[in-house]
Amino acid sequence: MSAIAPTKPTTYLQVLDAEGNVVNPSLMPNLTDEQLRSLMHKMVFTRIWDQRAIKLTRQGRLGFYAPVGGQEASMIGSEAATEKEDFLFPSYRDVPQSVWHGWPLYQAFLYSRGHQHGGQFPQDVHVIMPQIIIGAQIVQTAGTALAFKLRKEKRVAFTYIGDGGTSQGDFYEGINFAGAYQAPAVFVVQNNQFAISVPVALQTAAETLANKAVAAGIPGVQVDGMDVLAVYGAMKQAVDRARAGEGPSLIETMTFRYGPHTMSGDDPTRYRSKELEEEWQKKDPLVRFRNFLQSKNLWSKEDEDLVIEEAKAAVNDALAKADAYQKMTIPGLIDSMFKTLPADLIAQRTEFDS
């Protein structure tokens, strides 16, 4: 498989069509049956969890939340191609990749509520708290990747932004830096067609967002982001390149979020047509991969029902654990900010205690 174009990324990578038929056998990634089933398991689990999280947000039981339905193939397929020691820099929508990379689900719920423990990751979980500032994690990824290179560690730093993130200065700064130093980084642009309400065509004159890699002198490729096998294959090649010391890559996944930008008041019916939404729902990543697996007798309704029940139970357990977690306090917040408190914070804490 040769997925990464060296200079002009005009190739559109796809393994499965919308019905789940293999249309490019040469791009089929080398995965075992269990690995294929694992991809489906994670996508179904993530969709059920997402549906539940949306309801919990409406009930006021979660805080900030950015729906992910429709983007499961882009998220799960890319994360699955990394190793546990690789370091993930997510944006606010990339909670699924963070959880599958080791972030406990109950902490993701605490993060949504603004609880500081949500961002206190276990030592062996190589994920940083989801970045709210658009594109800021691109620079962080480039710097971390360079550190891996200087330490001669065979690790990769990988990150995600939306299409709107490629219009930020941090995006160009980060990919240029990574390219100049041949840092082991992978930048994934999840092009879900809209930067909140602004369509891609109004954001840039570039033919594709993957083409922006050319300016940084790094490989870039555009992938069907509703096709989990195409995403996995492109990400695996990019990660392998980085780990082998061949430098960074940029992957643009063409995807679509079915829900609003976030649950904080966005109404997609004001900027998206019903016809566009129906067009993308016909490309649903779960439907096409389910069809593919069933054609190989690797998936059944019973398998799917088990995952659905597992996801519901996991969400309930995580929610109960988040509900039971010790509430934040002002002294606790102050005490956690520095190993040794500076004088001004000591004064504030004393004033609060008095």
Side-chain angles (χ1 to χ4, degrees), residues 312-334:
K312 289 179 178 177
V315 169
N316 288 339
D317 289 346
L319 190 63
K321 193 170 183 179
D323 287 343
Y325 200 82
Q326 185 177 13
K327 305 300 181 187
M328 281 182 64
T329 64
I330 292 176
L333 176 62
I334 294 175

Side-chain angles (χ1 to χ4, degrees), residues 52-81:
R52 180 70 172 135
I54 290 171
K55 292 177 181 176
L56 291 170
T57 305
R58 288 173 174 155
Q59 294 167 1
R61 301 182 69 187
L62 290 182
F64 177 82
Y65 186 71
V68 304
Q71 295 192 206
E72 294 92 345
S74 174
M75 294 174 161
I76 304 304
S78 53
E79 192 282 329

Side-chain angles (χ1 to χ4, degrees), residues 21 30 32 122 129 184 215 226 253 331-332:
N21 303 305
N30 184 24
T32 66
M129 195 163 67
M226 310 297 267
T253 64

Side-chain angles (χ1 to χ4, degrees), residues 196-197 257-272 277:
I196 305 182
S197 60
R257 59 170 161 81
Y258 295 155
H261 175 66
T262 72
M263 296 299 295
S264 303
D266 176 52
D267 178 6
T269 64
R270 299 181 66 183
Y271 55 85
R272 293 193 319 213
E277 294 183 355

Side-chain angles (χ1 to χ4, degrees), residues 299-354:
W299 197 255
S300 66
K301 182 178 184 305
E302 289 72 25
D303 291 325
E304 187 135 341
D305 288 344
L306 284 174
V307 180
I308 290 171
E309 293 307 312
E310 177 191 343
K312 289 179 178 177
V315 169
N316 288 339
D317 289 346
L319 190 63
K321 193 170 183 179
D323 287 343
Y325 200 82
Q326 185 177 13
K327 305 300 181 187
M328 281 182 64
T329 64
I330 292 176
L333 176 62
I334 294 175
D335 289 343
S336 68
M337 295 179 71
F338 294 94
K339 185 176 182 180
T340 302
L341 285 181
D344 59 333
L345 286 182
I346 292 175
Q348 289 183 36
R349 197 186 192 293
T350 302
E351 181 180 2
F352 182 82
D353 289 339
S354 61

Side-chain angles (χ1 to χ4, degrees), residues 230-245:
V231 173
Y232 177 91
M235 186 70 174
K236 184 68 167 61
Q237 186 172 6
V239 167
D240 288 348
R241 285 188 71 256
R243 212 182 305 283

Side-chain angles (χ1 to χ4, degrees), residues 21-260:
N21 303 305
V22 177
V23 292
N24 287 303
S26 64
L27 298 180
M28 178 66 75
N30 184 24
L31 293 169
T32 66
D33 289 350
E34 279 310 301
Q35 287 174 314
L36 291 171
R37 285 171 51 82
S38 175
L39 289 174
M40 188 64 185
H41 173 280
K42 290 180 178 178
M43 287 203 296
V44 173
F45 189 109
T46 299
R47 179 157 299 184
I48 297 302
W49 149 25
D50 180 63
Q51 292 170 349
R52 180 70 172 135
I54 290 171
K55 292 177 181 176
L56 291 170
T57 305
R58 288 173 174 155
Q59 294 167 1
R61 301 182 69 187
L62 290 182
F64 177 82
Y65 186 71
V68 304
Q71 295 192 206
E72 294 92 345
S74 174
M75 294 174 161
I76 304 304
S78 53
E79 192 282 329
T82 67
E83 301 291 338
K84 181 176 174 58
E85 292 303 310
D86 296 332
F87 210 111
L88 166 59
F89 291 82
S91 74
Y92 49 82
R93 199 181 307 281
D94 303 312
V95 174
Q97 302 97 305
S98 303
V99 169
W100 293 118
H101 211 63
W103 193 21
L105 185 57
Y106 86 94
Q107 284 194 266
F109 287 168
L110 287 174
Y111 159 78
S112 172
R113 293 173 174 177
H115 194 297
Q116 67 184 109
H117 181 63
Q120 294 170 334
F121 287 77
Q123 287 289 328
D124 63 343
V125 175
H126 306 296
V127 183
I128 198 169
M129 195 163 67
Q131 181 62 262
I132 298 294
I133 301 171
I134 304 300
Q137 72 274 28
I138 297 294
V139 178
Q140 297 167 343
T141 302
T144 301
L146 178 59
F148 290 157
K149 180 177 181 178
L150 294 175
R151 294 174 181 172
K152 302 186 185 307
E153 297 179 11
K154 294 295 184 182
R155 301 171 66 186
V156 176
F158 65 109
T159 187
Y160 298 83
I161 56 171
D163 41 282
T166 68
S167 301
Q168 293 288 107
D170 286 7
F171 169 76
Y172 298 97
E173 183 179 343
I175 64 172
N176 184 73
F177 183 93
Y181 288 94
Q182 288 293 283
V186 180
F187 306 99
V188 180
V189 178
Q190 299 190 95
N191 182 353
N192 65 19
Q193 320 297 314
F194 292 88
I196 305 182
S197 60
V198 180
V200 173
L202 295 182
Q203 299 176 44
T204 179
E207 181 180 351
T208 72
L209 301 182
N211 271 336
K212 297 187 177 186
V214 175
I218 68 175
V221 66
Q222 190 182 57
V223 185
D224 182 344
M226 310 297 267
D227 176 357
V228 70
L229 295 181
V231 173
Y232 177 91
M235 186 70 174
K236 184 68 167 61
Q237 186 172 6
V239 167
D240 288 348
R241 285 188 71 256
R243 212 182 305 283
E246 298 174 15
S249 302
L250 175 66
I251 298 172
E252 176 189 8
T253 64
M254 301 298 292
T255 185
F256 197 80
R257 59 170 161 81
Y258 295 155

